[in-house]
Amino acid sequence: MALLLTACNSGGGDDSDSDKIEGADQGGGKASAAASASASASPGGTGRPEIKLPDSFQMNFEGWTNSDPKLQAIMDDGKEALRADHAAIIEADPDASYVAFYNSGVALESSQKWIKGYVKTDDSLIGKVRVFDSQVRLNSQGLGVLFYCVDEGEASTKNRKTNKVVGTPTDVSPYLQYRTTLEKTSEGVWKTRSVETERGACGQ
């Protein structure tokens, strides 16, 4: 199984969502072997699950800051949504509560489908990914629009039974662009509601 860490694309709630995604502005940037989640104040509020990744898999978020607190909140919860999906793959748990905490609707369905694909092949994740070139804004509907790039060049899948390690094929770009929309809940959490990905859309 070739390394394709990108999540399955989800279509977005309505036509206006995808239109708004296209117009994102530049700027702004297991407790043992897998991942665990427990109620904590991480990040940005009480009740958010703490998502822990094992030392064998790292996610490095570069320039993940914005001077606007509202936009920073979108980035923070968008970051946790991505970490949650990867943690659930490592834990082989598509129904992990932290995945549903940070995703909703078609984005949640997409995440769970993606995670189940790894569970079916009995693969986990090792190595590291780099997340960079963030773009964030609020659209006219009050939805958060968050774009970012992911470099999978130093990440691999590892089969749980055979220990076989597979990296990104040499003829496949390790760079992906994620295009997401997020909606703020009454509890103040920015849940990812749609995700689109495009391989090769990002540079170094």
Side-chain angles (χ1 to χ4, degrees):
M1 177 180 175
L3 173 68
L4 291 175
L5 298 190
T6 177
C8 299
N9 286 354
S10 63
D14 52 50
D15 293 340
S16 59
D17 283 351
S18 57
D19 290 341
K20 295 302 180 181
I21 287 177
E22 293 299 323
D25 297 330
Q26 294 285 340
K30 247 169 213 160
S32 53
S36 64
S38 59
S40 73
S42 162
T46 55
R48 280 171 165 76
E50 181 182 8
I51 299 166
K52 296 181 180 179
L53 293 167
D55 292 339
S56 57
F57 184 75
Q58 301 173 24
M59 302 187 74
N60 300 321
F61 290 78
E62 299 179 355
W64 208 257
T65 58
N66 193 285
S67 58
D68 186 325
K70 293 182 180 179
L71 298 182
Q72 185 64 55
I74 294 170
M75 294 177 70
D76 288 344
D77 285 344
K79 171 183 177 179
E80 293 306 294
L82 187 66
R83 294 181 71 249
D85 291 352
H86 287 74
I89 289 173
I90 295 170
E91 196 160 81
D93 185 5
D95 298 317
S97 60
Y98 47 83
V99 175
F101 187 91
Y102 286 109
N103 295 276
S104 65
V106 291
L108 177 58
E109 294 173 7
S110 175
S111 292
Q112 291 175 330
K113 180 179 179 181
W114 181 45
I115 297 161
K116 288 176 181 177
Y118 283 85
V119 174
K120 183 177 180 180
T121 58
D122 209 12
D123 284 304
S124 186
L125 303 174
I126 60 172
K128 62 182 178 181
V129 297
R130 181 169 64 99
V131 188
F132 63 102
D133 196 18
S134 59
Q135 308 165 38
V136 61
R137 70 180 180 89
L138 281 166
N139 70 13
S140 60
Q141 298 173 307
L143 298 176
V145 180
L146 175 63
F147 283 24
Y148 52 86
C149 295
V150 177
D151 176 6
E152 299 178 346
E154 296 185 57
S156 302
T157 59
K158 183 177 181 179
N159 189 270
R160 300 176 196 276
K161 292 181 180 178
T162 66
N163 290 323
K164 182 178 180 180
V165 175
V166 178
T168 303
T170 56
D171 60 343
V172 174
S173 172
Y175 298 103
L176 297 103
Q177 185 181 61
Y178 277 69
R179 306 163 184 169
T180 71
T181 57
L182 303 90
E183 184 172 18
K184 191 174 184 180
T185 69
S186 58
E187 291 78 23
V189 179
W190 286 94
K191 285 196 173 191
T192 297
R193 55 180 277 172
S194 71
V195 181
E196 297 175 358
T197 58
E198 182 179 354
R199 187 170 291 277
C202 296
Q204 299 182 12

